[in-house]
Amino acid sequence: MINKIKNSWRVILLCFICYYSKAQTAYSVDQLIHAAKKNSHQLNIRQYHMLEKTSKLHEDGIKRYPSLTIDGSYQYSFKLPDISIPAGTIGMINTGNGAAQLLPAQDTRFKIGEKGNYNVGFNLYQPITQQAKLATAMAIDQTDIQIGRQESIQTALQLTLQVEQLFYSALILRKTSESGKLRIELAKAKLTDGETSRMAGTVTAASLAGLRADIANEEQALMKTDLQLQDYLAEMSSLTGIDLQKLNLQEPVWNEKGIVISDYRSNAMLNPDLEIARLNKEKAILGIKAIKQANLPDFGIVAGYYRQQGSPILPVSSPYVGISLKWNLQDLFANCEVKNQRQAQLKQAEENMAYTQQQIGLTVDRLSRKVVQCNALITAAGKAVSFRQDELKEQQDRLTAGFEIKTALLETKVKLAQAEADLYTAKLQQAITIAELENISGKNKFEN
């Protein structure tokens, strides 16, 4: 008695573990999207790209402030220059006894400086005319950061759509596989009936061979479906980082509310592709502005302090202040060609923006038509399911009354399963279409 109780508890515990394990590995589409974003190298690349552009903005901001240069040098000279002063160069003086004294009295040679000399100092330079150009460069950096942010959103949207398409497509194949198993069961039942009839002489051997071929064809179709399903699950496992053996898909929650196409059409104007095209246009305009500012001379204020030893001509230490002006006139001609290049880039950006806007509009129109078609398919498939359910109920009643055989009932079940699969597929196709609409409108689930 005690052993029976222990065995019963073991069975209950095993069932609980199996149920819990199954519940743990059933993933919804939102959970898979979240896992895919955490596992995405492309999203990480986009994040690091934005950090790079942010650092570039800070770099250009630093250039607006004075630059400090510290320098120093030491030099040892084996020979020193000298100055020769001939006698009487300075003049002469009367000694008081009627004689004149030359100054200097004789040729004199002086060594200048010391063999070892050094100098140290620092220099401050504050750009003036470059401030406008640096401000434009910072505006370009900010535009690059916004482009990087939109590219990150774009990558997340593409990843989300990819996961949703794989998820719903895998569910369609799973439902198709279930229907295929029923068709195999029906084909085997027909073969059994055929073999029974063969013994009675009412079915030929050729007919039996055809029934066996039907079974082989159904098994082949089921195998293709299962292989395709495994491919989808393997790809989803690669995207999400979830072990393929633990990847079990949860049935979706159907959205019975109708969707408003006009909302998606208006939100499509915020599509990342369109935003990137618009930002590229702004960047091209800023590029033209920057090249115009590059024609200005480089003018700034210089200040500093130095200390030296070894040169008697220069002061030992001294602060200084001044101005600096540099102007490469050749740049005036080269910048004309650069300006032409930037204007061509602006035209390209304008054309790309118009093209992107046109393609988004066409895509929204196509998906809108597809939503209407899916709604019609769902309605038609729902009616078919209802009719097949009525037919199955009638067949079951006839079987109970002894007027039908099990093969006919199984055939009706197969037809009902096929109708349910068609309804299920239509709903999932609608879900995929809605996911594509959300993607084109820039709606990002679980935005980082």
Side-chain angles (χ1 to χ4, degrees), residues 15-132:
C15 292
F16 176 76
I17 292 173
C18 292
Y19 173 79
Y20 181 75
S21 176
K22 184 177 180 181
Q24 283 293 99
T25 55
Y27 294 95
S28 67
V29 64
D30 291 339
Q31 290 174 323
L32 292 173
I33 290 171
H34 185 72
K37 288 184 178 181
K38 289 181 63 177
N39 191 55
S40 174
H41 295 293
Q42 290 295 327
L43 279 178
N44 292 335
I45 291 172
R46 294 301 182 190
Q47 293 298 323
Y48 287 123
H49 182 71
M50 288 177 61
L51 289 176
E52 175 192 350
K53 295 302 180 182
T54 302
S55 180
K56 180 65 168 60
L57 173 63
H58 295 161
E59 176 191 351
D60 289 337
I62 292 172
K63 293 178 182 178
R64 303 185 68 179
Y65 298 99
S67 62
L68 173 63
T69 305
I70 299 176
D71 60 76
S73 67
Y74 174 82
Q75 179 178 324
Y76 181 85
S77 301
F78 292 95
K79 292 183 178 181
L80 294 176
D82 53 28
I83 297 177
S84 297
I85 302 178
T89 299
I90 299 177
M92 64 180 66
I93 59 173
N94 193 348
T95 60
N97 57 3
Q101 176 66 44
L102 297 176
L103 295 177
Q106 58 185 1
D107 293 346
T108 306
R109 185 181 298 273
F110 296 95
K111 294 291 183 180
I112 299 178
E114 300 177 6
K115 288 188 176 182
N117 61 79
Y118 73 88
N119 66 82
V120 293
F122 66 87
N123 179 74
L124 284 172
Y125 175 71
Q126 172 63 56
I128 302 298
T129 55
Q130 293 297 313
Q131 292 293 325

Side-chain angles (χ1 to χ4, degrees), residues 294-314:
N295 291 327
L296 296 175
D298 187 0
F299 174 77
I301 299 175
V302 180
Y305 174 84
Y306 77 90
R307 182 178 180 83
Q308 66 87 28
Q309 181 177 336
S311 176
I313 300 176
L314 299 175

